Amino acid sequence: MNPTPQTVTVVIPALNEAAGIGRTLASVAAQPGPVEVVVVDGGSTDGTAAAVHPALASARVIASERGRARQMNAGAAHGRGGALLFLHADTALPPGALDRVRRALAEPGVAGGCFAVTFDRPAPGEPAFGPLGRAAMRLWEARLWMRWHRLAFGDRALFVRRDVFDAVGGFPEQPIFEDLDAVRAVRRRGRFVFLDAAVVTSARRFRRGGAVRQQLRNLALWAAWNAGVPPARLKRFYPD
């Protein structure tokens, strides 16, 4: 007799994501269960909350104070699954993602992990990146970088055992790099694994700011975080 699959709670923090959250929810709806979905709205003014149920009727929508870490912690507190997966509202899961999570967390000593990442392509009518921009995006997608915990950003769909999440106190409620600080804490509780399957996340920030310029900004902020600069000081250089 096969054991009952573990319930995965998918927590989606959202702020003004009405236009794109349907794609994210559709990718979750295509996953095998058991799964529960908690969308945490941080005060959207564009109808994000109203866009959830037409895309996934079973999802729960809760309100929280604005702030990604605060919203993710609120969603986790409302979830009942033994595994938690934190999914950005502009990121889609690959087929079979939650089964991969269940298998990974069933391995002895595994506390959490994340996926690889790729970026979406421009929609019809959107400008495409130039040669330098395309090269910058391909560089970030390269698998060479995908197995280092200091690059385990939140847009890679972090997942963790519930007991580990509770033991580390959830995400630190800081304005930036809450994901990397949480990964650091999780690694002290067990192995952190890197799945080969890739989520697809939006490149909109790179389209707005320019791929090369945005990558250089991200690199500078990441280097400052590694050097110990407080996240509150770095946030002003990374607007919402």
Side-chain angles (χ1 to χ4, degrees):
M1 182 176 179
N2 292 327
T4 302
Q6 180 171 211
T7 298
V8 180
T9 297
V10 178
V11 177
I12 305 175
L15 179 67
N16 294 329
E17 295 285 0
I21 198 169
R23 182 191 72 145
T24 298
L25 292 169
S27 77
V28 179
Q31 303 294 322
V35 57
E36 66 171 354
V37 180
V38 183
V39 177
V40 189
D41 185 50
S44 299
T45 58
D46 69 341
T48 293
V52 170
H53 289 142
L56 184 59
S58 62
R60 280 188 291 158
V61 182
I62 66 171
S64 165
E65 290 183 53
R66 179 174 173 173
R68 181 174 286 155
R70 188 176 292 114
Q71 290 172 240
M72 291 190 292
N73 287 339
H78 280 77
R80 298 180 295 273
L84 299 167
L85 183 142
F86 299 92
L87 185 63
H88 285 191
D90 63 353
T91 302
L93 294 174
L98 297 190
D99 273 346
R100 289 182 171 93
V101 168
R102 293 184 185 100
R103 287 196 295 270
L105 294 181
E107 291 292 324
V110 173
C114 68
F115 289 78
V117 66
T118 59
F119 291 96
D120 63 0
R121 300 300 179 247
E126 283 186 327
F129 293 122
L132 269 179
R134 289 196 298 272
M137 300 305 288
R138 284 197 298 269
L139 180 64
W140 175 238
E141 291 176 334
R143 292 299 195 267
L144 176 65
W145 317 111
M146 293 295 170
R147 305 190 75 81
W148 190 24
H149 68 277
R150 293 202 177 203
L151 293 175
F153 293 101
D155 58 5
R156 294 178 60 180
L158 303 177
F159 58 89
V160 63
R161 289 192 348 238
R162 158 72 70 177
D163 61 318
V164 171
F165 184 81
D166 291 342
V168 303
F171 288 93
E173 294 192 356
Q174 60 197 43
I176 190 172
F177 293 128
E178 77 289 336
D179 42 11
L180 298 186
D181 279 329
V183 167
R184 195 153 50 184
V186 168
R187 290 182 70 247
R188 290 195 284 266
R189 298 280 174 168
R191 281 200 297 136
F192 188 88
V193 298
F194 301 91
L195 303 186
D196 290 331
V199 298
V200 180
T201 195
S202 172
R204 59 188 174 177
R205 189 181 289 270
F206 299 95
R207 295 190 184 104
R208 282 198 305 264
V212 176
R213 186 162 59 248
Q214 186 65 48
Q215 294 282 31
L216 290 174
R217 175 183 291 180
N218 291 351
L219 179 61
L221 290 169
W222 176 80
W225 171 80
N226 278 284
V229 178
R233 289 181 57 190
L234 298 175
K235 174 59 179 173
R236 63 193 178 99
F237 300 106
Y238 196 83
D240 292 332

